[in-house]
Amino acid sequence: MSNMPPRANSLAEVFLSLLVTPCATCGRGPLQGDAARRVSGEGAELVLAVPVTCAACRAVSAPQFRLPHGIGADKPGSPGCFNPTPEPSTLIDLGQWLTLFRTIVHQAERTTDKQEARRLGLEAAQCLDEALKFYRDPDNDLPDDDAFWCETSRQRFRESPEQFSRKRQLELRARLPSLAAMEAAIQRAQQPPKRKWWRRK
């Protein structure tokens, strides 16, 4: 149905999409999302509305999103999973995932908080993993045209196709630890330090 809200794989994906979606009023942004509220649905099938304000023109809106998987992947205290499925996002295109990757890596490089740096590293790795889902033809190093639906992404691809090479994305991903290793490091850091055996108090 054309009037159905767009499908999101997680609440995290919803808020990431706002960072790379231009404002419908002024064409700029970024869009700043507030706490999501439930519109309909129970359990796994949810429809949420997110109050949004444009940072540039202050226009307000409340776009709705379908979450077929519910928000189980976004439980408080968990690192958060962007997309629990093997299918590429229908909310964020390939070019936007790569933009988010660069933005998050830049934030990670600037922070002095080790815990925050680990969390950002996990998010950056997931952005690349999501980008790689768009490369469906094993014999083609470049993505198909349907990997882009944002005009900014299409223009970047036309101007610098080498930036969208699958080999390049794999090389970037290889520099980062596995998701399991990063999640384990985050969980360890969240646990209170164990008392030394030789300390009685």
Side-chain angles (χ1 to χ4, degrees), residues 24-157:
T25 300
C26 70
R28 293 180 291 168
L31 302 180
Q32 300 170 331
D34 206 344
R37 60 179 177 82
R38 180 179 300 182
V39 175
S40 65
E42 294 292 337
E45 288 285 341
L46 297 176
V47 175
L48 302 179
V50 181
V52 168
T53 303
C54 174
C57 71
R58 309 309 297 173
V60 296
S61 59
Q64 295 184 7
F65 302 88
R66 286 185 301 127
L67 274 76
H69 311 290
I71 56 174
D74 303 292
K75 291 178 182 177
S78 71
C81 174
F82 294 171
N83 180 2
T85 79
E87 296 301 314
S89 172
T90 57
L91 203 59
I92 303 172
D93 77 6
L94 170 57
Q96 291 171 320
W97 279 120
L98 296 180
T99 296
L100 287 167
F101 167 74
R102 289 190 296 270
T103 300
I104 294 171
V105 165
H106 183 60
Q107 291 177 340
E109 290 172 345
R110 292 190 303 173
T111 186
T112 56
D113 184 322
K114 290 183 178 179
Q115 178 71 358
E116 177 69 2
R118 290 190 192 98
R119 184 186 65 79
L120 291 170
L122 176 62
E123 292 184 356
Q126 287 191 78
C127 287
L128 282 181
D129 286 346
E130 290 305 310
L132 285 164
K133 291 178 182 180
F134 286 91
Y135 295 83
R136 297 182 176 181
D137 184 352
D139 298 321
N140 191 353
D141 190 50
L142 294 177
D144 294 332
D145 291 339
D146 62 4
F148 308 101
W149 52 83
C150 170
E151 182 54 38
T152 302
S153 296
R154 292 193 189 100
Q155 182 177 349
R156 284 173 46 213
F157 180 57

Side-chain angles (χ1 to χ4, degrees), residues 3 7 10 12 16-17 46 48 52 56 59-60 75 88 91 98 101 106 112 136 158 161 168 178-179 188 190 192 201:
N3 60 345
R7 178 182 180 276
S10 68
L16 286 170
S17 73
L46 297 176
L48 302 179
V52 168
V60 296
K75 291 178 182 177
L91 203 59
L98 296 180
F101 167 74
H106 183 60
T112 56
R136 297 182 176 181
R158 288 193 297 266
R168 173 182 170 82
S178 69
L179 294 184
R188 285 196 302 271
Q190 289 176 342
K201 294 184 180 180

